[in-house]
Amino acid sequence: MQPNPFAEVPTTAPERIAPDTWLIPNLAPAGDGLFLPVNSLVIRGREPVIVDTGAPIHRALWVEKAFSVVEPEDVRWIFLSHDDGDHTGALFDVLEHCPQATLVTNFFAVERLALEKPALPLQRMRWLEPGDRLDVGDRVLQLFRPPVFDGPTTRGLFDPKTGAMWAVDSFACFTPGALDADALPADLLSGITALGSAVSPWHAWLDRERYGRHVDTIEALGARTVASAHGPVLRGGRLDDAFDRVRALAGAPIVPLPGQELLDTLLAATMAEAAG
Ligand SMILES: [Fe+2]
Ligand SMILES: [Fe+2]
């Protein structure tokens, strides 16, 4: 029998992180008692918005959690930050269960998804680019290009009404279970640098000043609460620190990732377990 990969995963539940704004968390085992968050968001305003749809491994859990904070028939918008699999896990469930919802995405994301998923309904879409705005009734959401990203179609989302920001794959960091940066030890938060380097290794060739100005424009949006797909919720000094870490990636060497040595260790552990 295969071991249950969720057996050791701490239970997480939707959490209100800003007015009208709910984090939909899930965790994936990352070894050594740590987990990678795989979050998404629900903005429960006049026209409710689902922001990303989780990873395929969490699909059933995601559907249960997301629809515990918003009624599917009330959802008016599905904001897809980009086409990566860990953000599109329950996309077709949401399209099916939320008949009033329009999918907010972009041309290139749709082109890329066409290679791996059934056709998406063009008549239910809106294509927006960084700098565009989305009027959702009681607020106007702003799209931007996040400081760190692992897919070219990536767009972040900022809600000026609440000061909440969705930073997508930026600010990623492992956690023992906590979803708030204030509850994480400083050494784990330094992982924002390593995971930022892992998803955007092109940082090594960035001009520090020019990239700094790009990060400044994102910081100047004035977010007070920043949530992301793979990191803890950031506010105050933790948020300042996260922006500084990202800025410092410009021109810095790529952080090396584990290689064959780790694979050998994992295989040895698996074989020892099987033998024991
Ligand atoms: Fe991604
Ligand atoms: Fe991601």
Side-chain angles (χ1 to χ4, degrees), residues 22-234:
W22 294 76
L23 187 78
I24 310 298
N26 274 300
L27 296 171
D32 292 334
L34 294 175
F35 302 88
L36 181 72
V38 190
N39 303 319
S40 58
L41 216 61
V42 171
I43 304 171
R44 222 169 50 176
R46 191 183 303 155
E47 297 177 10
V49 187
I50 284 178
V51 180
D52 283 338
T53 64
I57 58 164
H58 297 128
R59 191 175 145 213
L61 273 172
W62 186 93
V63 167
E64 189 187 318
K65 289 176 181 177
F67 293 143
S68 75
V69 301
V70 65
E71 293 297 330
E73 54 271 19
D74 292 342
V75 176
R76 291 291 306 279
W77 303 97
I78 307 157
F79 177 80
L80 191 62
S81 68
H82 64 309
D83 52 282
D84 277 356
D86 58 323
H87 298 248
T88 58
L91 178 57
F92 284 87
D93 301 84
V94 177
L95 285 166
E96 186 188 332
H97 294 305
C98 308
Q100 304 297 324
T102 296
L103 176 62
V104 179
T105 178
N106 56 72
F107 157 77
F108 198 33
V110 174
E111 287 287 300
R112 288 159 61 97
L113 282 170
L115 298 178
E116 57 171 282
K117 293 194 189 293
L120 287 162
L122 290 176
Q123 71 281 9
R124 290 184 62 187
M125 283 185 200
R126 191 173 293 184
W127 288 356
L128 297 179
E129 288 296 318
D132 286 344
R133 286 158 201 268
L134 177 67
D135 187 334
V136 297
D138 57 353
R139 69 201 70 208
V140 179
L141 305 173
Q142 300 176 15
L143 281 74
F144 64 96
R145 210 182 294 274
V148 161
F149 52 87
D150 64 359
T153 63
T154 306
R155 285 87 178 95
L157 200 63
F158 176 59
D159 180 352
K161 185 169 180 178
T162 62
M165 174 181 278
W166 180 243
V168 195
D169 290 332
S170 298
F171 309 134
C173 166
F174 294 121
T175 174
L179 299 165
D180 192 309
D182 286 332
L184 286 182
D187 63 319
L188 277 182
L189 287 171
S190 69
I192 289 174
T193 301
L195 285 178
S197 180
V199 300
S200 297
W202 38 257
H203 66 80
W205 299 282
L206 291 174
D207 177 80
R208 204 167 264 262
E209 219 171 279
R210 195 162 177 194
Y211 181 65
R213 283 200 297 276
H214 171 57
V215 179
D216 289 347
T217 61
I218 301 164
E219 196 168 14
L221 290 170
R224 293 187 293 280
T225 305
V226 173
S228 65
H230 310 296
V233 177
L234 298 157

